[in-house]
Amino acid sequence: MHVKLHLFVQLFTLVFFPTAIWLFLQVLSLTPVNEWLLKGLQTVSCMPPPVSSAVILTKAVGGNEAAAIFNSAFGSFLGIVVTPLLLLLFLGSSSSVPFTSIFSQLFMTVVVPLIIGQIVRRYIKDWLERKKPPFGAISSCVLLMIIYTTFCDTFSNPNIDLDTFSLVVIVFIIFFIQLAFMLLTFLFSTSKNSGFTPADTVAIVFCSTHKSLTLGIPMLKIVFAGYEHLSLISVPLLIYHPAQILLGSVLVPTIKSWMLSRQKALKLTRQPKVPL
């Protein structure tokens, strides 16, 4: 029921993020950076939050894990509808796939497996709790396979026109965007009138700035099916995902230290003063 927090995360992720990147790209378009990599940056900005990385990092710090789980799951569902609309809005009608076909394929790819999984889980819940299958390892392997196959598809394309300068610039821009937006969400959520606790701030910082690769790659393949520049458009998302995990992991000790000291300070200020 923490509506204010959920509203902030979803608006930042699916409204502010893509709008800010679009404005930023108007400047970058004047540079010699590959235009399709820049369009790839715009696709990254339109993606929903991931289900795993933001939750794992929030948990590692000790932040509001429930808020991170809710916003990751809810954002993924919103992304099924909102992300294709944002892609078509910011990149134009580049897709040759009918809009109804996009939604039906996304529904079959994302929603149907989730519903089936929830139904099956009801009947085998006791067996799962007893046997404890290594779902974490399986999930990581599947994600690694998605990244690997996408890299293969991208760089095995003989028509790919990717220069080293553009690639290096995109890597630096991605790290800059992540740091800038993490700082922005941190400053806003810690302001006096925000009403957010330190634990809330941790969830906000990670959920607002992370983007989903597992939902993003299938979505790009559906929306831009048969598009000759799909490989180049996918590159920024392939870079963004490991970058957000790397950067988040590096910042975990610093953010955790801040959160604990902030919580301690708030606890001391709320203690009643003993009269002299």
Side-chain angles (χ1 to χ4, degrees), residues 5-268:
L5 187 153
H6 308 322
L7 197 62
F8 175 81
V9 170
Q10 300 306 327
L11 286 175
F12 189 95
T13 306
L14 297 172
V15 178
F16 178 82
F17 203 128
T19 306
I21 294 300
W22 180 81
L23 292 171
F24 184 44
L25 292 182
Q26 301 311 301
V27 178
L28 287 177
S29 63
L30 303 174
T31 66
V33 179
N34 188 296
E35 64 169 315
W36 298 107
L37 289 179
L38 295 181
K39 288 187 177 184
L41 270 180
Q42 187 67 70
T43 65
V44 170
S45 71
C46 298
M47 293 300 157
V51 176
S52 56
S53 61
V55 176
I56 292 167
L57 290 170
T58 301
K59 185 178 181 180
V61 174
N64 191 338
E65 190 182 348
I69 292 170
F70 176 83
N71 280 286
S72 296
F74 185 63
S76 294
F77 275 105
L78 275 181
I80 296 171
V81 177
V82 177
T83 297
L85 291 172
L86 289 172
L87 289 173
L88 295 174
L89 174 66
F90 287 108
L91 297 179
S93 54
S94 303
S95 175
S96 58
V97 183
F99 207 62
T100 51
S101 177
I102 291 172
F103 280 119
S104 61
Q105 287 185 63
L106 284 174
F107 184 80
M108 292 301 295
T109 306
V110 180
V111 180
V112 171
L114 182 61
I115 293 171
I116 292 172
Q118 290 298 311
I119 293 170
V120 171
R121 187 178 181 276
R122 290 174 64 89
Y123 296 99
I124 62 170
K125 184 180 178 181
D126 293 336
W127 179 84
L128 290 172
E129 291 178 350
R130 191 169 61 253
K131 294 292 184 180
K132 291 184 170 42
F135 285 130
I138 294 169
S139 176
S140 298
C141 289
V142 171
L143 180 59
L144 187 62
M145 185 59 67
I146 290 171
I147 296 170
Y148 173 73
T149 54
T150 308
F151 260 105
C152 289
D153 287 345
T154 300
F155 294 102
S156 64
N157 186 347
N159 298 320
I160 190 169
D161 182 23
L162 183 60
D163 60 287
T164 307
F165 170 76
S166 294
L167 188 60
V168 171
V169 170
I170 288 295
V171 170
F172 276 105
I173 289 171
I174 284 172
F175 276 99
F176 169 75
I177 289 170
Q178 287 191 29
L179 281 170
F181 282 180
M182 287 179 84
L183 180 61
L184 187 63
T185 52
F186 177 80
L187 291 174
F188 182 86
S189 58
T190 53
S191 60
K192 281 188 177 181
N193 300 320
S194 68
F196 297 125
T197 65
D200 292 339
T201 295
V202 174
I204 288 170
V205 166
F206 289 127
C207 290
S208 300
T209 57
H210 281 211
K211 295 292 182 178
S212 176
L213 174 72
T214 47
L215 191 61
I217 292 299
M219 198 172 287
L220 288 180
K221 287 184 176 181
I222 292 169
V223 175
F224 297 104
Y227 201 58
E228 61 177 323
H229 296 291
L230 174 61
S231 296
L232 282 174
I233 290 174
S234 305
V235 169
L237 184 57
L238 289 170
I239 297 170
Y240 195 96
H241 180 77
Q244 69 189 8
I245 295 173
L246 176 64
L247 193 59
S249 302
V250 169
L251 292 174
V252 159
T254 305
I255 297 173
K256 187 172 185 176
S257 176
W258 168 84
M259 189 190 74
L260 293 174
S261 61
R262 182 70 175 165
Q263 286 176 334
K264 190 175 181 181
L266 288 171
K267 193 175 180 180
L268 288 172

